[in-house]
């Protein structure tokens, strides 16, 4: 199975990424984590992006805050799908990172999730890998059913508490 490569702009972004790591562990998708910065370590980020496909990576998740150019600069050096997570950091609380990550020029896409949207980034990465992996596709179906059952349970609980029927 191809793996997911997670790239963080800083170790300060790690807490925002834990929902992605939890999800990848849950569905047993192999992943790697690196700290690489578009601005502070641009050469290392370029080398990583250019070699990722040859090293068995299927999808890259890139997370950064503030002037978040990491996902875009990685996407510039690979044709692997790149999912961008704008991280809530600094005085603008992630709106700066959202705009920096999402507003890519035509030709170099970054699939941007919401600010701190790490869980959805991981689900999207797994959905991409599941296109060629039926077992992974079943794991996604099971996860979706679990979620539906959880909401139905909460619905039943809230009805029992508030509804005079
Ligand atoms: C960004 O600047 C990083 O992705 C992080 O979100 C933010 C602050 O980085 P540190 O100063 O905490 O390393 O490049």
């Amino acid at each position: 199975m191809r793996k997911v490569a997670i790239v963080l702009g800083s170790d300060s972004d790690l807490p925002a990424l834990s929902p992605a790591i939890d999800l990848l562990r849950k569905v047993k998708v192999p992943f790697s984590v690196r700290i690489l910065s578009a601005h502070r370590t641009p050469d290392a980020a370029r080398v990583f992006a250019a070699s990722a496909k040859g090293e068995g990576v299927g999808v890259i998740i890139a997370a950064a805050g503030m002037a978040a150019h990491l996902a875009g600069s990685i996407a510039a050096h690979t044709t692997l799908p790149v999912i961008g997570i704008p991280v809530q950091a600094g005085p603008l609380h992630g709106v700066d990172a959202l705009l920096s990550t999402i507003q890519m020029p035509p030709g170099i896409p970054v699939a941007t999730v919401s600010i701190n949207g790490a869980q959805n980034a991981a689900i999207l990465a797994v959905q991409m890998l599941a296109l060629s992996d039926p077992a992974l596709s079943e794991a996604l179906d099971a996860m979706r059913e679990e979620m539906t059952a959880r909401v139905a349970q909460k619905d039943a609980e809230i009805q029992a508490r508030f509804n005079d029927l």
Side-chain angles (χ1 to χ4, degrees), residues 103-130:
Q103 286 297 104
M104 288 296 293
I108 308 292
V110 167
T112 304
V113 295
S114 62
I115 297 170
N116 283 7
Q119 188 184 77
N120 273 358
I123 293 172
L124 192 53
V126 174
Q127 286 174 334
M128 290 171 183
L129 296 178

Side-chain angles (χ1 to χ4, degrees), residues 48-59:
F48 161 82
S51 56
K53 193 186 281 181
E55 290 177 4
V57 173
V59 187

Side-chain angles (χ1 to χ4, degrees), residues 58-126:
V59 187
I60 298 172
I61 294 176
M66 301 177 80
H69 299 133
L70 181 60
S73 65
I74 294 229
H77 295 289
T78 181
T79 54
L80 287 173
V82 176
I83 300 171
I85 307 176
V87 174
Q88 184 178 354
L92 300 186
H93 306 294
V95 174
D96 42 1
L98 173 64
L99 298 178
S100 303
T101 304
I102 204 169
Q103 286 297 104
M104 288 296 293
I108 308 292
V110 167
T112 304
V113 295
S114 62
I115 297 170
N116 283 7
Q119 188 184 77
N120 273 358
I123 293 172
L124 192 53
V126 174

Side-chain angles (χ1 to χ4, degrees), residues 4-18:
V4 174
I6 297 175
V7 189
L8 316 176
S10 166
D11 65 335
S12 65
D13 297 324
L14 187 56
L17 263 291
S18 61

